Amino acid sequence: MPCGQPDSGAAAARYVLGVDVGSTVVKCHVYDRAAAVRGSSCRKVESLYPRPGWVELDPEVLWSQFIGVIKEAVQAAGLHMRQIAGLGISTQRGTFITWHKRTGKPFHNFISWQDLRSSELVNSWNKSLLLKVIHVIFTVLHFLTGNDRYLAPSFLTFSTHQTSMKLSWVFKNIHEAEEAAKKNNCCFGTVDTWLLYRLTKGSVYATDYSNASSTGIFEPFMKCWNPTLCNLLSIPMSVYPPVKDTSFNFGSTDSEIFGVPIPIMAVVADQQSAMFGECCFHPGDVKLTMGTGGFWNVNTGEHLFASQRSLYPLIGWKIGEEVVYLTEGSISDIGTAMQWAQDIELFTSVDETAEMAQSVADSQGVCFVPGFQVSGYDPYLCASFMGLKPSTNRNHLVRAMLESVAFRNKLLYDIIVKKVHIPLRSIRADGGVSNNSFVMQMTSDLINKKIEKPANADMSSLGAAFLAGLASGFWTDKEQLKKLRQIEAVFEPQKDSEEYKPAMDAWLQALKHSPHW
């Protein structure tokens, strides 16, 4: 029977869907009560590059891919749509679109979190006298009150990765959006909001706390859209959606889409979703995701730590009265760099890179500095190999690339230990690069900590399914979810971190030569 067609003999709803709309792929997994994957589908996200530095997604193509993977995954599982108890949606963060409230017509394509079109706006703001005045005012307020709310604005710096600057760019450059906003007819939405809107034929307009807090426009201390920032950047407050719990009944999909209505029981930002999928439920639990980029997340419980340059606070999830906060630090260019290396045939398959790196004693002094995904703080950062010699071969180059991932993990981990005053408990890794044993072992050695790797690396999909399953009663509580965790490997320190010091010192020197190229 075709996927989505009603079936009078179908069994009771015994499965949940976890869909992850990432930066490179859209994936859907069908999970049973044991959290085993019964069916899957995956499609590549097609990014558009209309101008240098611009990165967009076609909303209609993304919609088609999203619907397609759900139908294919259910079909691959040999199931019918009415057997699905709920849908959880995990999405890339900071990618957004605006559309007309009455017609539903977008004013532009999705503008990706990787997009750099706001760089001139960012530079002018960061050099402005007004920003310096804001720094002084909030430094004084923080000194007088001791309230951490005033700490982040005291060294506020804008970057091209922030949704706020790109949204400000939209209202300065897209006349139709600006006019609609003046008449309260403009809707802003990250990927989750827009998918909810489309799935319900316009009847649901909402986001959740994890996605809202990831835009940089949402005030995590007050849990509301930030009116001060919006006034500063001339963004109308009327454009923002209501913010709901992460694990929540958002309504059902329109029955025309899948043949039967499917309850939408969770929407969540991808890194927070991976954190939930890893069952990092306790303060001090750490999640390391290594995919397109790298993300270290620490569960800080009910305590919200203010931004401290390399680290920033997020809302992990809100379920009823429970609000869990995270501190996050990020690394750009992990998967991006590996994809480039594969494209130029430095290796055939990512699976062989660990073996290639281990086949040589060291990188022979070669250092890799990542910089493909241009930094918002330094748009001139140069990606480069340094220390090349006539004897350098592809194994040395691959080893240098993998070492750079581990070295950056070490730098960020040290900042977390210094700034986050919570004893760190378990460290759990996921994402495609967590399958690389060389990176995992070297990171464990450098930070001198045990790192667990789950059997299933697609934690964002699993986290979304877990959240949807809790909201629908498919699973009862977090204790039940913990029992479903499956660990594939545990990496324990095998070498003293001092053994890596000469190589890391050389890499840090290479880093110093790369900025402002």
Side-chain angles (χ1 to χ4, degrees), residues 87-89 192-193 195-197 199-200 202-211 241-253 262-268 318 464 467-468 471-472:
L87 165 65
I89 304 170
D192 59 299
T193 303
L195 287 173
L196 274 176
Y197 191 82
L199 286 166
T200 59
S203 67
V204 177
Y205 178 52
T207 188
D208 93 295
Y209 283 89
S210 69
N211 276 293
V243 185
K244 307 287 186 188
D245 282 10
T246 307
S247 181
F248 179 78
N249 187 346
F250 286 88
S252 292
T253 62
I262 298 176
I264 307 165
M265 304 306 281
V267 299
V268 58
K318 182 176 181 297
L467 286 157
S472 62

Side-chain angles (χ1 to χ4, degrees), residues 159-369:
S159 90
T160 53
H161 292 171
Q162 292 164 339
T163 307
S164 54
M165 297 309 280
K166 288 185 278 244
L167 187 54
S168 178
W169 182 95
V170 164
F171 290 123
K172 288 180 192 306
N173 291 275
I174 300 178
H175 180 69
E176 296 91 336
E178 182 193 20
E179 286 301 305
K182 284 177 185 173
K183 297 172 185 172
N184 287 346
N185 274 330
C186 181
C187 293
F188 160 87
T190 40
V191 176
D192 59 299
T193 303
W194 187 79
L195 287 173
L196 274 176
Y197 191 82
R198 287 291 299 263
L199 286 166
T200 59
K201 295 277 180 84
S203 67
V204 177
Y205 178 52
T207 188
D208 93 295
Y209 283 89
S210 69
N211 276 293
S213 77
S214 302
T215 61
I217 313 171
F218 192 80
E219 224 292 330
F221 282 91
M222 304 300 290
K223 297 191 205 59
C224 65
W225 298 107
N226 190 328
T228 309
L229 182 64
C230 292
N231 285 335
L232 202 62
L233 300 178
S234 305
I235 301 171
M237 289 292 290
S238 62
V239 303
Y240 299 114
V243 185
K244 307 287 186 188
D245 282 10
T246 307
S247 181
F248 179 78
N249 187 346
F250 286 88
S252 292
T253 62
D254 187 277
S255 57
E256 286 183 12
I257 298 171
F258 298 115
V260 293
I262 298 176
I264 307 165
M265 304 306 281
V267 299
V268 58
D270 56 4
Q271 295 310 316
Q272 289 94 317
S273 189
M275 190 88 174
F276 203 88
E278 289 273 29
C279 296
C280 292
F281 300 144
H282 304 286
D285 282 347
V286 180
K287 185 264 315 168
L288 164 60
T289 293
M290 293 183 286
T292 307
F295 296 89
W296 284 80
N297 296 88
V298 184
N299 183 326
T300 59
E302 58 190 29
H303 300 289
L304 181 60
F305 286 82
S307 291
Q308 304 199 36
R309 303 200 184 272
S310 300
L311 305 175
Y312 41 91
L314 293 170
I315 295 174
W317 51 84
K318 182 176 181 297
I319 305 173
E321 294 303 306
E322 179 198 44
V323 181
V324 170
Y325 294 102
L326 312 179
T327 290
E328 180 174 277
S330 64
I331 303 165
S332 63
D333 272 351
I334 293 182
T336 320
M338 298 308 290
Q339 184 61 55
W340 167 80
Q342 189 171 357
D343 289 345
I344 65 162
E345 298 180 359
L346 208 53
F347 51 83
T348 311
S349 163
V350 177
D351 298 339
E352 65 188 299
T353 56
E355 197 176 316
M356 290 173 73
Q358 286 156 349
S359 73
V360 288
D362 53 44
S363 69
Q364 218 180 55
V366 176
C367 297
F368 175 69
V369 179

